[in-house]
Amino acid sequence: MNPRYLPDEVERKAQADWERVDAYRAVEDARREKFYCLSMFPYPSGKLHMGHVRNYTIGDAIARYQRMRGFNVLQPMGWDAFGLPAENAAMANRVPPAAWTYDNIAYMKKQLKSLGFAIDWSRELATCKPDYYKWNQWFFLRMLEKGLAYKKTGVVNWDPVDQTVLANEQVIDGRGWRTGALIEKREIPMYYLRITAYAQELLDDLDKLTEWPERVRAMQANWIGKSVGVRFAFPYKLSASANQLPLSPRERDGVRDAAVAPPSNEREVEGREEKLWVFTTRADTIMGVTFCAVAAEHPLATHAARNNSALADFIDECKRGTVIEADLATMEKKGMPTGLSVTHPLTGESVPVWVGNYVLMGYGDGAVMGVPAHDERDFHFAKKYRLPIKQVIEVPGRPFSTDAWQEWYADKGNGRCIHSGKYDALGYIEAVDAIAAGLNAKGLGDKQVQWRLRDWGISRQRYWGCPIPVIHCATCGDVPVPDDQLPVILPEDCVPDGTGNPLAKRADFVNCLCPRCGKPAKRETDTMDTFVDSSWYYACFCGTDNATAMVDKRVDYWMPVDQYIGGIEHAILHLLYSRFWTKVMRDFGLVKYDEPFTRLLTQGMVLNDIYFRKPESGRIAYYNPADIDVTCDDKGNRVGAVLRADGQPVEWDGLGTMSKSKNNGVDPQQLIEQYGADTARFFVIFTSPPEHTLEWSDYGVEGSSRFLKRLWTFAHECKTFVDAKLSSASINWSEVSNEHKSARREIHLALKQANNDFARHQFNTVASAAMKILNTLERTPGASDMLGHHKIQLAGQTIVSEGLSILLRLLAPITPHVSHVLWQELGFGDDISRAPWPVHDEAALAQDVIEIVVQVNGKLRGKVSVPADASEERVREAALREESVVRHVAGKPVLKVIVVPGKLVNVVV
RNA sequence: GCCCGGGUGGCGAAAUUGGUAGACGCAAGGGACUUAAAAUCCCUUGGGGAGCAAUCCCCGUGCCGGUUCGAUUCCGGCCCCGGGCACCA
């Protein structure tokens, strides 16, 4: 055994041992309880970053811990391999995205292996491989058959120069990020998945996910956005000249394309009688309606604009705006009258219709009722355009005035209806019920649920993705690719040039024969959103070797995932899509569970200092923290920082996530090479609890490295006498010294705490417990002075042997290499990962004499030592005799003495 | 605006969920070893005050109040920070 800790050597040996016996191969075994531990798979961007290291270290610690506790653990790994960065890299380097992606996968796989993760690599998958994405296509076709996938036109950002669709984040100030061209909104046909059909279940089942972080559940509920209200209609008649009837907006939503029937109350047209449908959560204010507002895209707006050029211009202006919702929210509210009127469904009064730029076509029916008295936005709109404001809700003692908006105008909890005819004096709930009933009686509306969630548009006008398996035939229309022609293979040798989709230029891909009529036809060139790829990969891991089915019965053994670990940035989309996909798979009879991820851990981000200089002219320069020397005052406060290269000061800009743009990244590869994987792993576990952000610290890494060196050195010193056969059961602990007794007690106390913390995933304090144990062992008499004296007591040897065996097993999930090698070196066994998980010995915690804290009026005043079995009365006596207690009581009458057995006494005077 | 988290030393953080606040580590200061440095080891370290000293006292978990023998922990009100959603009707 080398007296020095050489991480390189240790890690090479441990990894070779694991490789030789294929240690992490997971095999289904009905007799054993399974544990499926999964970290979110990476996008193969080039090399691992610290976020990956943290994510996979946390996942690996859990996987190894559960393995040692006896579970049959599956921890697989794969690659989220389709996506835009590969196309960008391809343009920059003139290599096909496929080649770039496969190179990255090879390099990153090597890095993951060097970190020693207990991964079953036989199950590796990459979403860009046909044997994976074939099942995306197959499943899409099944959804198409069931009406869960459909086609409709959708609005996209269109770059007219590159002839390309851009993602929202590629549009900067309304211009394309590459071309600088003004971006147009363009409507093109796209495929959608009917996630809204599962909105209620996706919302309800959040209650089952009790092991998910509360905030993730809240974010999903928010996103799904259920509101309960009333959908009702304002009837109207078009003038005689209007012989073209507007369509109901619902029909534009693709409902007609689907296999489900459109809502029955949609298209009734009797003579020229039409209806303007709106949705409201405040039906109780319906008597206060003084106008209606419709979206620019609303058919009524289109109709009104035919003979009104000013209105047409206004509508064009609205349509030209951004599709980014965050920008919409801050836009100035504008409107213009259509000149049309509709009839109030209950009062029969005439209500003017306006076009409002704040009305969303995509929510509800693209039209709203305007109640200025009780909706803040309507109030300001009415003031701006001098529309009437009619109060219909009152709160006793609160005067209403149209001069300025007041918070209580929108209060639905304390309000009562007034000026509302037969609904007067009703509260919110009764009023909504009564008004909904009134509308229903006239066939003009009823209670309805409205969702914020929209159907999931999956078409991407991009090359590097899974082809959508549809063929466009001039005769037969859109024809699904037959199952026996799957997969539709994506050519891997295209090099995109930034203009349009390279697939569209590939005649060998585009030209095909119609499966239905056999005539020449064109293949769909859109590919699927990469979120489709990641929506079911976790299920695929259960049987990656099965080429004949999407999943097989092995999913029944492994799924659902017991522990999922990943970044909070996926709290909504990825997790929601995966939940949706699971429910559809279940309804198709492929799987039996309702939810894919039982427990979820969202790890925090990795931060580092940001240093910069702002020159008088030119751009800000950022400096890597590794090149900065920080000076501190006597108390350790940061007082200044200089760039090591030139000794000149730099400014500190706080902490931020590691990024290229701020030049504050730390390369994991360098870290591993300098300190070893175990140090890197120990540092990320020890420094912060998993859910918190992790602040990078080179000093902290040093500290972690120091601990592992100390561990190695200590193990080396003890190697001569450590013996797995030394049993604590053979020692009569009542006869050993107090020092030995308390040493063993500290070790078992730390173990107890560590087990508690492991169970609740507070791994940083598990690392602390390991450090405490080493501190105790180093101080244990008989261990540290053995080299000089050779008169080691049996008790000391036993404590050290037992303590090291506990310590190494506790550390095995965190620092597997050094634990594995020391376990062998000290003769505990061949494979620490098969050793039983350590459990504390309750007898070791027992004390003959215990220390009791004594308070006077709740303030700590002293301590007394009493026998562990002392009666309450004796403890009380001892406490009252304690000298500082006597001093603080100072003769005042003792009102009360509280005795907490085994803990404390509080004397109240 | 609505919904979630948070606020504890110079720093990362603990506190077995109402019972010794600051475990463990980092940084800092002092010391040992060394010709010297690195490495390693030992001691000190929340703030303030009294004492030659052993020691002792006061304050302290964002702020104000409440419950309690006792509150970082429970309740009410407020302030600040982070995150999510947001013309959603």
Side-chain angles (χ1 to χ4, degrees), chain A residues 393-407:
Chain A
I393 300 288
E394 68 167 4
V395 171
R398 300 267 199 158
F400 184 92
S401 154
T402 59
D403 293 344
W405 174 258
Q406 294 179 53
E407 291 279 298

Side-chain angles (χ1 to χ4, degrees), chain A residues 11 15 18-19 48 64 79 106-122 124 672 677 681 817:
Chain A
E11 287 166 17
Q15 286 167 19
W18 300 333
E19 191 104 14
L48 292 184
R64 286 177 179 275
W79 308 94
Y107 182 73
M108 290 170 76
K109 184 173 175 181
K110 219 174 93 193
Q111 287 191 302
L112 287 174
K113 287 196 163 186
S114 77
L115 280 158
F117 297 133
I119 289 166
D120 179 356
W121 284 104
S122 74
E124 181 180 4
I672 296 164
R681 294 173 58 124
H817 308 89

Side-chain angles (χ1 to χ4, degrees), chain A residues 223-400:
Chain A
W223 185 264
I224 294 167
K226 180 179 185 174
S227 24
V228 182
V230 173
R231 181 172 181 261
F232 70 95
F234 293 84
Y236 63 95
K237 285 192 176 169
L238 289 178
S239 60
S241 63
N243 47 18
Q244 238 188 324
L245 295 169
L247 289 173
S248 157
R250 281 286 166 107
E251 296 187 28
R252 301 152 41 91
D253 268 7
V255 177
R256 265 195 313 187
D257 302 328
V260 294
S264 57
N265 53 2
E266 277 297 333
R267 295 196 60 214
E268 66 308 318
V269 179
E270 209 173 292
R272 287 195 170 77
E273 181 78 8
E274 266 288 347
K275 287 170 183 166
L276 174 64
W277 287 92
V278 301
F279 175 76
T280 180
T281 54
R282 291 301 307 271
D284 58 320
T285 65
I286 196 169
M287 295 309 200
V289 170
T290 57
F291 69 96
C292 282
V294 300
E297 298 87 349
H298 195 280
L300 205 53
T302 313
H303 173 82
R306 287 192 310 166
N307 304 317
N308 183 341
S309 64
L311 184 63
D313 289 348
F314 177 69
I315 289 171
D316 276 349
E317 186 195 322
C318 294
K319 284 183 180 173
R320 227 178 299 123
T322 174
V323 293
I324 302 168
E325 297 194 339
D327 295 345
L328 286 172
T330 54
M331 250 160 52
E332 194 195 349
K333 278 115 197 105
K334 287 186 192 165
M336 195 173 270
T338 60
L340 303 173
S341 293
V342 293
T343 310
H344 192 289
L346 296 180
T347 65
E349 281 169 20
S350 177
V351 177
V353 178
W354 286 59
V355 175
N357 69 345
Y358 63 91
V359 184
L360 301 173
M361 195 59 220
Y363 185 77
D365 293 271
V368 296
M369 68 176 194
V371 183
H374 303 290
D375 180 281
E376 186 170 5
R377 196 183 45 214
D378 292 346
F379 182 87
H380 295 301
F381 193 83
K383 294 284 272 188
K384 183 168 178 177
Y385 295 107
R386 298 169 193 281
L387 292 160
I389 298 172
K390 182 185 169 197
Q391 183 192 7
V392 292
I393 300 288
E394 68 167 4
V395 171
R398 300 267 199 158
F400 184 92

Side-chain angles (χ1 to χ4, degrees), chain A residues 873-895:
Chain A
E873 192 51 36
R874 278 192 59 189
V875 173
R876 179 195 166 100
E877 297 296 312
L880 288 168
R881 273 199 312 273
E882 208 276 331
E883 61 147 323
S884 87
V885 173
V886 172
R887 204 167 65 237
H888 282 96
V889 170
K892 283 171 258 175
V894 174
L895 303 175

Side-chain angles (χ1 to χ4, degrees), chain A residues 744-755:
Chain A
R744 184 158 188 265
R745 181 165 184 276
E746 281 168 28
I747 291 163
H748 282 265
L749 215 50
L751 173 58
K752 187 181 178 184
Q753 177 224 309
N755 275 328

